Amino acid sequence: MPSGLLIDLDGTVLPENNRPTKRVIDAIAEASRLIPVAIASGRVQDDVCHFARLFGLTVPQISDNGATLIDPVTGRALKRYILDRETAELVVSDLKKSSYKVLACDAGRFVEDPDQIEDWKITIVMAKFDSEVEARGWIARFPADKVSSYATVDNLGHWYVDCTPLGVNKGTGARNFAKEVGVDVSKLMVIGDGWNDMPMFDVAGTRIAMEGAPQEMLEMATEVVPGIDHDGAVLAIEKYVLNLSE
């Protein structure tokens, strides 16, 4: 059995209607009674805390693509990585010109209009693009020594670029989570379906990829499970954590 479990949200356990199936909720809740379980998502802190409560999770959770480790009970950030202001302003300015919607998390506050950023304590900047090609085009063009950036797709099929402080990603979140709950990061099990989950695959010992994930993830995976429409994440939890599979 793994020592801990990290689960991506969009495309892994969260369908288009933002309502995980009862089977998913029950499996995650049952797993959390055996080992520490956390969400590891590019979503902002409020979203992650909401779904953590839905799943009955109380240990630290990972939001902002690894830039924030948060207590889901109190909503208090346990660890937070901040973009320096000069870089944050550069990223926001460039994305405002290149994309058609820019969002940010500023001092833990979700900001839907970048002109309303007040504190400039930015953990993540998210920009919505018309296509994967455009999102990846921005990443290829923007200086790679400024931020960590990933092209991500939400549960509605919308493409985003997520920008966090340089070197900060879900692998960072996984290491911080493991340290906080007192387990070896290499003993973690992770479940994901997108490019921003790759850093978790780099550090975890048991790597579960959803069917349809990027080829690099499929090649790294301990096991590939059916897609979200078939509750593939549940099958992995039942096999590796709950020991229900033959």
Side-chain angles (χ1 to χ4, degrees):
M1 181 187 298
S3 298
L5 171 62
L6 299 179
I7 309 168
D8 172 56
L9 281 177
D10 292 77
T12 300
V13 295
L14 201 60
E16 290 185 7
N17 63 5
N18 281 332
R19 296 178 180 175
T21 65
K22 184 179 185 301
R23 188 181 179 197
V24 164
I25 294 171
D26 290 347
I28 293 175
E30 188 170 352
S32 72
R33 290 190 278 271
L34 300 175
I35 57 175
V37 178
I39 293 163
S41 176
R43 289 196 177 215
V44 295
Q45 299 163 42
D46 286 349
D47 279 356
V48 168
C49 286
H50 165 75
F51 287 107
R53 289 190 289 268
L54 178 65
F55 296 138
L57 307 179
T58 58
V59 298
Q61 306 289 302
I62 301 166
S63 68
D64 302 340
N65 255 359
T68 302
L69 189 71
I70 192 164
D71 182 334
V73 178
T74 65
R76 181 174 66 90
L78 304 174
K79 196 168 188 65
R80 180 178 283 159
Y81 297 87
I82 305 293
L83 282 161
D84 69 85
R85 179 155 183 169
E86 181 181 356
T87 300
E89 289 181 343
L90 176 63
V91 169
V92 169
S93 174
D94 199 279
L95 284 171
K96 284 172 67 177
K97 300 172 186 174
S98 306
S99 66
Y100 66 87
K101 188 174 186 180
V102 178
L103 314 167
C105 192
D106 180 25
R109 182 174 63 96
F110 181 46
V111 181
E112 296 188 73
D113 179 356
D115 293 331
Q116 300 300 314
I117 294 174
E118 296 176 355
D119 297 308
W120 287 98
K121 295 180 179 179
I122 306 294
T123 47
I124 187 169
V125 179
M126 300 155 284
K128 190 175 182 181
F129 286 81
D130 285 324
S131 67
E132 178 182 6
V133 171
E134 290 189 8
R136 295 196 181 285
W138 186 89
I139 291 174
R141 179 178 57 77
F142 195 78
D145 62 346
K146 296 291 186 182
V147 294
S148 290
S149 55
Y150 292 89
T152 64
V153 61
D154 68 10
N155 56 347
L156 296 175
H158 300 145
W159 280 93
Y160 288 81
V161 167
D162 294 348
C163 298
T164 50
L166 187 64
V168 175
N169 51 45
K170 286 191 182 183
T172 311
R175 287 188 288 269
N176 287 332
F177 168 82
K179 183 177 180 180
E180 190 72 24
V181 300
V183 302
D184 185 335
V185 68
S186 68
K187 303 298 184 182
L188 292 178
M189 171 175 161
V190 299
I191 311 176
D193 74 317
W195 289 106
N196 62 335
D197 298 315
M198 286 287 286
M200 292 199 300
F201 274 44
D202 289 334
V203 300
T206 305
R207 303 169 296 275
I208 307 299
M210 305 293 286
E211 189 176 68
Q215 185 61 34
E216 288 86 343
M217 286 187 69
L218 300 178
E219 293 171 358
M220 288 182 66
T222 305
E223 184 169 343
V224 178
V225 294
I228 189 170
D229 291 340
H230 301 284
D231 284 338
V234 173
L235 299 178
I237 293 169
E238 289 177 344
K239 177 177 179 178
Y240 290 93
V241 180
L242 304 181
N243 197 29
L244 296 179
S245 300
E246 296 181 357

